[in-house]
Amino acid sequence: MPGFVEKPEPIQVPGLVHLHTGKVRELYQNAVGDLVMVASDRTSTFDWVLPTEIPDKGRILTQLSLWWFDQIADLVPHHVLSSDLPPGAPADWEGRTLVCKSLRMVPVECVARGYLTGSGLAEYNETRTVCGLALPEGLVDGSELPAPIFTPATKAAVGEHDENVSYEEVAHQVGADTAAQLRQATLAVYSRARDIARERGIILADTKFEFGFEGDTLVIADEVLTPDSSRFWPADQWQPGRAQASFDKQFVRDWLTSPASGWDRKGEQPPPPLPAEIVAASRAKYVEAYERLTGTSWS
């Protein structure tokens, strides 16, 4: 059964109530009801949270999310109140912690795709559709789509797999008005981010967002446009018809499915620890993505 290879014990901090241990983040609530999100250095793939951490990963995800929130602030409000360290929190939380609004979350993974790969490619190869949307004949792994598409998924628990669903199913689940807002916001943010990334020599192939409501206002939440929630490809190496070079955790996936790992993805054993060279190379991928997107050096 996928899940945590070694589930961590959450750190207890005076004044904070621990709510949830996610694949990467620990979620707390402070005394006034705000949420405190702490991004760990854990990494997950194939529905497993791996036993090996990637140094600095949580800080990179947090700082990159903050940068992106600034880039899209005119399109949709975000949930961040502060990035200050809560009183009494351990020093290691510095740079990886966000104090956020408590929202009424929408139980949908809002995925935007501008290129065909991953689960979208698998569905296309069977039906020539993705989430019920018909696509042209002749597309291959890495093909650019005629226009970005909204391909939502159910939000799964740790150890379970998100399932692609149709827009109509989302509308049935959350209501037609909310579904329309989700689609519009998802495609607007994706399009803005795609153009920004393209200027920096990076293809944003696809990405996923989470949204919640503050009253009647739709708010974007969690992380945004990071290598964990998106597929980033170097534009100068893009070649449809094959797997693309990547800045995201595809690098770790590729090692786990290679003979070098000795792991049977379809077996019952959990994934093995990552070797030091894979950890170092993976960290370098996250750092490069941060630096190329933001134009600033990671330190």
Side-chain angles (χ1 to χ4, degrees):
M1 177 70 180
F4 288 90
V5 176
E6 300 171 5
K7 188 169 184 178
E9 286 294 325
I11 295 172
Q12 301 300 322
V13 177
L16 299 182
V17 177
H18 182 261
L19 300 177
H20 178 67
T21 295
K23 294 177 182 178
V24 172
R25 286 165 181 77
E26 300 288 348
L27 188 63
Y28 296 80
Q29 187 173 53
N30 65 18
V32 297
D34 301 326
L35 298 182
V36 179
M37 292 198 327
V38 186
S40 73
D41 292 336
R42 298 191 293 268
T43 194
S44 66
T45 188
F46 301 124
D47 302 320
W48 284 98
V49 181
L50 303 182
T52 312
E53 295 189 341
I54 309 296
D56 283 334
K57 177 175 174 281
R59 289 188 177 89
I60 293 170
L61 298 182
T62 301
Q63 299 307 310
L64 187 56
S65 288
L66 286 170
W67 184 84
W68 277 116
F69 281 134
D70 287 342
Q71 312 308 309
I72 63 172
D74 61 316
L75 299 177
V76 61
H78 62 74
H79 68 155
V80 178
L81 296 169
S82 170
S83 57
D84 294 339
L85 201 62
D92 183 61
W93 283 17
E94 186 70 48
R96 62 174 78 241
T97 302
L98 298 177
V99 181
C100 305
K101 299 174 182 178
S102 181
L103 305 174
R104 178 168 50 87
M105 297 301 295
V106 182
V108 176
E109 292 276 5
C110 294
V111 180
R113 301 177 191 269
Y115 294 74
L116 188 64
T117 194
S119 63
L121 175 65
E123 182 179 337
Y124 171 82
N125 285 339
E126 290 185 4
T127 65
R128 295 297 183 264
T129 65
V130 178
C131 292
L133 298 174
L135 295 177
E137 291 286 340
L139 301 181
V140 295
D141 193 356
S143 287
E144 184 173 9
L145 301 176
I149 58 175
F150 176 62
T151 60
T154 58
K155 184 167 173 55
V158 175
E160 298 179 5
H161 193 64
D162 295 343
E163 295 291 339
N164 293 345
V165 295
S166 69
Y167 177 79
E168 289 72 22
E169 289 179 71
V170 172
H172 177 74
Q173 182 178 357
V174 302
D177 289 346
T178 295
Q181 288 186 69
L182 293 175
R183 180 168 61 183
Q184 188 279 329
T186 296
L187 293 177
V189 173
Y190 170 81
S191 297
R192 169 73 60 80
R194 175 201 59 194
D195 293 346
I196 291 173
R198 185 176 290 161
E199 293 170 356
R200 291 152 172 78
I202 291 177
I203 289 173
L204 174 59
D206 56 39
T207 191
K208 64 180 179 180
F209 305 118
E210 294 191 38
F211 293 93
F213 279 94
E214 182 183 27
D216 294 330
T217 302
L218 189 69
V219 177
I220 196 166
D222 200 51
E223 64 179 326
V224 291
L225 298 156
T226 72
D228 269 18
S229 64
S230 316
R231 284 187 175 92
F232 293 119
W233 300 337
D236 59 358
Q237 298 179 48
W238 174 54
Q239 183 180 332
R242 61 168 175 81
Q244 309 300 314
S246 177
F247 291 108
D248 55 52
K249 56 188 179 183
Q250 189 63 41
F251 187 77
V252 172
R253 295 188 191 103
D254 290 345
W255 180 81
L256 283 171
T257 55
S258 74
S261 75
W263 181 56
D264 178 7
R265 180 184 171 188
K266 297 182 179 179
E268 297 182 359
Q269 294 302 310
L274 302 177
E277 62 270 20
I278 298 299
V279 171
S282 182
R283 179 186 181 277
K285 291 281 187 183
Y286 281 88
V287 169
E288 184 180 359
Y290 174 88
E291 292 183 340
R292 289 183 62 168
L293 287 167
T294 68
T296 59
S297 297
W298 178 257
S299 58

